[in-house]
Amino acid sequence: MLEDAKMLTFARTALKNLFSRPATVGYPYEPAKFPQRMRGHIEIQTENCIRCGLCMRSCPPGAIRVDKAAGTWTINRFDCIQCGSCAGACPKKCLSLVPGYTEPDYQKKEEVFYLPEKAPAAKPAQTAAKPAETAVSP
Ligand code: SF4
Ligand code: SF4
C-alpha cells in the first residue's frame, strides 16, 4: 500500500516536470538576471574617497589596499567574500555592493583605482571688522 502511494507521488512529480518550464537558466548562452538586492561586487565612487583606510581595516580577507601616498584604492575581487563590511565602515558612503558577478579569470588580478587629488582646504572666512566704537561724552 505504501509502495503504491510512493509510486503515485513519483509519477505525479515526473508528469508535472515534463510539462513545466525548466528550473535552470541557459547561462552563459542567455544573459544572467540579477536580483535587485544581490550582493554582487563592490564599486567605489573615487571622487568621494578621503583615503582614510577604514575599508581596508574592516575587510576580513584583506581584499582592499589603500595607499595614501600613491593615491590608489586597490581591490582583489577574487579575495572578496561580498560581506559588505567595507561599505558599512566607509564614512563617506562611497562604497556599495551592486548586482553582477566578477568576471572569471585565469589569475587573481587586482583592480586599481586612482583617487583624485584632495581639494585644497578652504580658507577660514575673515571675521567681519568691528564697527568703530563711538566715544560717549559725559
Ligand atoms: S565586501 Fe567584505 S570582503 Fe569584499 S572588499 Fe568589502 S569588506 Fe572585503
Ligand atoms: S573607507 Fe571610504 S573614504 Fe575611507 S579609504 Fe575606504 S573608500 Fe575611501
Side-chain angles (χ1 to χ4, degrees), residues 44 48-56 66 73 86 89-95 115:
I44 180 170
N48 297 338
C49 179
I50 54 170
R51 309 178 190 192
C52 66
L54 283 175
C55 51
M56 176 172 66
V66 181
W73 185 93
C86 55
C90 177
K92 302 302 281 182
K93 303 281 172 242
C94 49
L95 297 174
L115 304 170

Side-chain angles (χ1 to χ4, degrees), residues 63-136:
I64 296 176
R65 202 171 61 252
V66 181
D67 189 330
K68 283 185 189 183
T72 55
W73 185 93
T74 306
I75 185 166
N76 188 326
R77 297 200 180 277
F78 293 93
D79 283 347
C80 174
I81 54 171
Q82 287 90 34
C83 65
S85 172
C86 55
C90 177
K92 302 302 281 182
K93 303 281 172 242
C94 49
L95 297 174
S96 49
L97 276 161
V98 296
Y101 297 118
T102 298
E103 291 286 314
D105 209 324
Y106 297 109
Q107 290 172 330
K108 287 174 83 175
K109 280 190 221 152
E110 290 186 329
E111 206 173 325
V112 183
F113 294 82
Y114 292 90
L115 304 170
E117 288 298 318
K118 280 186 206 162
K123 286 182 185 169
Q126 286 184 343
T127 49
K130 279 187 183 175
E133 285 179 25
T134 47
V136 181

